[in-house]
Amino acid sequence: MTESRGSLCYPLARYSLPGLFEFYELYRLFLPLWRSKREWFYPWATIDSIYGSPSDCLWAGGRAAFGQAKTDEVLELVNEYKISARLTLSNSLLTKDHLDDKKCNALCRAFEKTEVPSGVIVHSDLLAEYLKSSYPSLYLISSTTKVLTDFKDFEAELGRKDFSYVVPDFRLNKAFEKLSALNQAYKDKVEFLCNECCDFYCKERKLCYENVSRKNLGEEVPEHRCRAPDGEGGYRFSLAMKNPSFISIEDIQNVYLPMGFSNFKIEGRGLGSALVLEFLLYYLTKPEAHLQVREALYLDSMLDLF
């Protein structure tokens, strides 16, 4: 789908939203508004997918999974609204023995049957090969947890036919000269992480992801302590907006869409629903409708925003 602006015609901005299992209650209330009150939302934006993983998921990685929603509830939601589900199975430390995990295999079998094709966000090449042979209807997304900060490595990843999408490290977001030189087939595979709050110069990002992978494998490991400035304060959207890599709605409209990019990922799985709502307001909702959306959600006693 495209949006026409004068004599120009650009693709819609296609968002991948966080918390497939973690924020089920939020999306259960937000998606009916998205469907019925289209005048409240930007006409140039659409919800392409929602990503996440349930709690106690061996193959999960990236952020600690807190999702409590039941698989059948999530399946019913994505089928109702014709949204692609993406399972975040980006554990980087899997071995062949881990591939027999019954819960993760049952999860993949269930999401093979969605009305809109589901995907899997992967880090491990071992898991990618297993998924290709065992669940061929699930498309694959190369995870940002690979921390591909060298543009040549990123471009090589785009060239891999296994992946429908590749999420670059956020520090490549503004490498415009190199990004603009990509061919359109590669541009269509790029999915930018918009709102990362991690320090731009952090050198321990891969260690942080590996720590989560070890926890999901059941290993007793100490909590990774971020040593970046302001790292102890946790996520702040106001700080993310000051990050050199931050992608604003103006950037999307005026830079990325005209350049031929249309896929954008919103971080937020390990955060609270109140903060994720702020992302939905900022990236999807017209400013004059922010209050109406908040009222519609806050007045539902089933939504826990604290």
Side-chain angles (χ1 to χ4, degrees):
M1 297 179 67
T2 59
E3 183 209 3
S4 179
R5 303 178 202 168
S7 60
L8 300 178
C9 195
Y10 300 137
L12 289 171
R14 294 150 41 101
Y15 287 110
S16 185
L17 304 179
L20 181 63
F21 291 83
E22 298 89 335
F23 302 121
Y24 167 81
E25 290 295 338
L26 173 61
Y27 292 121
R28 185 182 65 82
L29 300 176
F30 180 80
L31 290 176
L33 298 178
W34 173 257
R35 171 185 282 175
S36 64
K37 299 290 185 180
R38 290 298 303 148
E39 69 275 13
W40 289 0
F41 302 100
Y42 293 123
W44 49 265
T46 190
I47 299 172
D48 183 67
S49 62
I50 305 176
Y51 67 93
S53 56
S55 59
D56 191 28
C57 185
L58 191 72
W59 296 351
R63 301 289 184 215
F66 302 104
Q68 299 300 322
K70 297 178 180 179
T71 296
D72 58 349
E73 293 176 328
V74 172
L75 288 170
E76 183 177 0
L77 188 72
V78 295
N79 284 330
E80 168 69 18
Y81 291 96
K82 304 297 187 291
I83 293 172
S84 179
R86 293 184 180 178
L87 300 172
T88 306
L89 306 181
S90 55
N91 196 303
S92 63
L93 303 175
L94 298 176
T95 67
K96 188 174 181 180
D97 290 341
H98 295 134
L99 300 181
D100 293 330
D101 184 79
K102 292 183 179 179
K103 181 174 183 177
C104 293
N105 278 283
L107 193 65
C108 291
R109 283 194 297 272
F111 279 88
E112 270 201 307
K113 302 172 184 177
T114 50
E115 293 185 24
V116 174
S118 295
V120 181
I121 303 170
V122 294
H123 181 131
S124 166
D125 285 343
L126 178 68
L127 180 60
E129 289 299 317
Y130 177 75
L131 293 171
K132 281 170 53 183
S133 61
S134 301
Y135 308 102
S137 65
L138 297 174
Y139 64 90
L140 302 182
I141 306 98
S142 177
S143 175
T144 191
T145 62
K146 295 181 181 181
V147 193
L148 301 178
T149 56
D150 187 293
F151 199 89
K152 290 182 179 179
D153 293 336
F154 168 56
E155 193 168 7
E157 195 78 355
L158 288 170
R160 296 179 62 179
K161 295 181 180 179
D162 292 344
F163 298 120
S164 298
Y165 302 95
V166 176
V167 184
D169 186 85
F170 69 106
R171 285 160 287 206
L172 296 181
N173 284 359
K174 302 296 178 72
F176 293 131
E177 184 176 351
K178 294 178 180 179
L179 289 168
S180 64
L182 294 174
N183 63 51
Q184 191 58 51
Y186 279 13
K187 289 180 179 181
D188 290 342
K189 294 177 70 171
V190 179
E191 185 172 274
F192 293 101
L193 184 58
C194 295
N195 60 328
E196 177 57 58
C197 192
C198 183
D199 185 76
F200 190 82
Y201 303 101
C202 177
K203 298 184 183 300
E204 298 184 347
R205 190 167 174 83
K206 185 171 288 189
L207 290 175
C208 181
Y209 286 136
E210 287 181 358
N211 182 268
V212 175
S213 291
R214 293 186 186 282
K215 287 182 179 179
N216 285 333
L217 293 177
E219 297 182 20
E220 293 292 334
V221 292
E223 189 74 28
H224 176 79
R225 302 190 68 84
C226 179
R227 294 187 290 180
D230 300 318
E232 293 295 327
Y235 188 96
R236 295 290 185 272
F237 196 22
S238 58
L239 292 179
M241 288 180 167
K242 297 177 182 178
N243 194 301
S245 69
F246 180 71
I247 297 178
S248 69
I249 56 172
E250 291 80 13
D251 292 332
I252 291 172
Q253 288 182 287
N254 301 324
V255 180
Y256 291 91
L257 291 179
M259 197 184 293
F261 296 99
S262 58
N263 303 304
F264 304 93
K265 182 175 182 177
I266 310 303
E267 178 177 304
R269 279 204 306 146
L271 307 176
S273 58
L275 192 47
V276 172
L277 175 57
E278 292 304 311
F279 303 153
L280 299 180
L281 293 173
Y282 178 79
Y283 283 105
L284 294 171
T285 312
K286 296 175 181 177
E288 61 269 24
H290 284 194
L291 181 57
Q292 289 97 316
V293 173
R294 285 194 180 98
E295 286 178 335
L297 299 183
Y298 289 168
L299 293 177
D300 190 302
S301 60
M302 293 301 294
L303 182 63
D304 180 11
L305 288 166
F306 301 96

